[in-house]
Amino acid sequence: MKIELIAFGIARDIVGTGKLVMNIKDSGTVRDVRLELLATFKDFEKLASLKLAVNADYVEDDFQLSPNDEVVIIPPVSGG
Amino acid sequence: MKNIKITSEKLSVQECEQHVSHDGCGGIVVFIGTVRNSTKGKAVKGLEFECYEKMAVKELDKIADHAIDELGALNVAIHHRTGAVPIGEEAVVIAVSSAHRKAAFEACEFAIDTLKVTVPIWKKELFEDGEVWVSAHP
C-alpha cells in the first residue's frame, strides 16, 4: 500500500522534500517505514533520534498503518 | 484553565500573564525563552522555528493538563513563536498561576523541560556562514 509521509526540519532536508510517498506491504507497520527510510536515506542514521507520528500522536514501532493515516517523520525536536 | 497558542507574530509576555491571572492565585511564574546572540562562542544572526502545528498543540495541551491535574497549577498559558525570530525576542512564553508559589515554579519548570522533549517544533540557528538544525545530531 502507498503511505504518504510528511517531513519537517532536518528530515525535510534529508529527503529533499516536505512530502513523499512510500510503498510498504499491506498491513505494514511503522517499523517498515522506519527501516525503509534508513535504507533509502543514510543520513537518518546520523540523527540523535528518529520518531514517527501517526495522526498527530507518537506511536510505537509495531503500530499498524492504514493508507489514509497521516504519517510524519519527527527528527529530534528543539523547541523553546 | 489553559491557553495554548502557536503564532508567527511577536509574543506578548503581558498577554500570556493575563491568561493565567486569577483572584484565587497567590503567585504567577513566567518563563520567557529568548533568542541568544551566540552559541558555543559562535555569533548567531537569528533563529527560525518550524512546527507540526496540529501535533504541537496536542502535546502542549497534554503538558498544561499535567501541570494542572498533577502539579497543582491553577492556570497555564503556553505561547510559542514560529518562523524567523530575531535576537533578543521571545521564542516561548509560559505563564503558570497557582495558590502557592511552589506549585507554580514546579509546574513552569516541568512545562519548559517537557516542551523541549516532546513538542514537535524545530529550531534552526542561522550563522554568517551557514545554518544548523539544533539538537539534530548527538
Side-chain angles (χ1 to χ4, degrees):
Chain A
M1 66 179 163
K2 280 192 166 67
I3 295 285
E4 194 178 271
L5 297 175
I6 301 169
F8 283 102
I10 196 169
R12 185 166 30 80
D13 291 352
I14 290 174
V15 301
T17 172
K19 271 186 184 176
L20 70 158
V21 174
M22 184 186 278
N23 252 312
I24 60 166
K25 63 174 187 269
D26 286 351
S27 75
T29 64
V30 163
R31 181 177 295 105
D32 297 320
V33 172
R34 176 197 303 282
L35 292 176
E36 182 71 21
L37 281 174
L38 288 166
T40 315
F41 307 99
K42 298 291 176 201
D43 280 349
F44 277 128
E45 277 177 30
K46 297 179 190 157
L47 298 185
S49 68
L50 177 64
K51 292 179 183 168
L52 287 149
V54 178
N55 303 327
D57 276 315
Y58 288 111
V59 292
E60 299 295 325
D61 258 13
D62 58 5
F63 185 94
Q64 198 173 322
L65 293 166
S66 308
N68 291 325
D69 283 337
E70 181 170 287
V71 185
V72 177
I73 308 170
I74 310 273
V77 301
S78 50
Chain B
M1 201 279 299
K2 54 193 172 172
N3 180 266
I4 306 294
K5 185 163 93 171
I6 293 174
T7 174
S8 58
E9 308 280 305
K10 196 176 185 308
L11 297 180
S12 159
V13 176
Q14 200 185 2
E15 184 203 320
C16 204
E17 188 194 321
Q18 276 164 1
H19 277 290
V20 302
S21 171
H22 185 283
D23 284 350
C25 77
I28 296 174
V29 171
V30 180
F31 172 79
I32 308 166
T34 54
V35 178
R36 199 174 45 229
N37 66 1
S38 74
T39 186
K40 291 171 191 144
K42 202 173 168 188
V44 172
K45 285 197 304 179
L47 295 182
E48 215 170 281
F49 286 90
E50 193 172 307
C51 175
Y52 174 23
E53 191 163 335
K54 194 198 314 185
M55 182 171 171
V57 168
K58 229 166 149 175
E59 291 296 325
L60 289 171
D61 219 55
K62 286 184 203 167
I63 291 172
D65 281 342
H66 184 87
I68 292 167
D69 297 341
E70 308 294 333
L71 301 176
L74 265 178
N75 297 322
V76 176
I78 309 176
H79 294 181
H80 204 296
R81 188 154 169 200
T82 56
V85 186
I87 303 294
E89 289 194 5
E90 303 82 6
V92 61
V93 181
I94 301 176
V96 179
S97 63
S98 62
H100 304 282
R101 70 181 182 281
K102 199 161 189 264
F105 275 116
E106 276 178 13
C108 193
E109 187 170 29
F110 164 82
I112 182 62
D113 287 352
T114 310
L115 181 155
K116 284 174 172 283
V117 176
T118 64
V119 180
I121 296 176
W122 299 272
K123 166 165 55 192
K124 190 156 72 174
E125 284 172 337
L126 312 174
F127 303 100
E128 282 298 340
D129 59 351
E131 48 191 50
V132 172
W133 288 106
V134 177
S135 305
H137 298 103

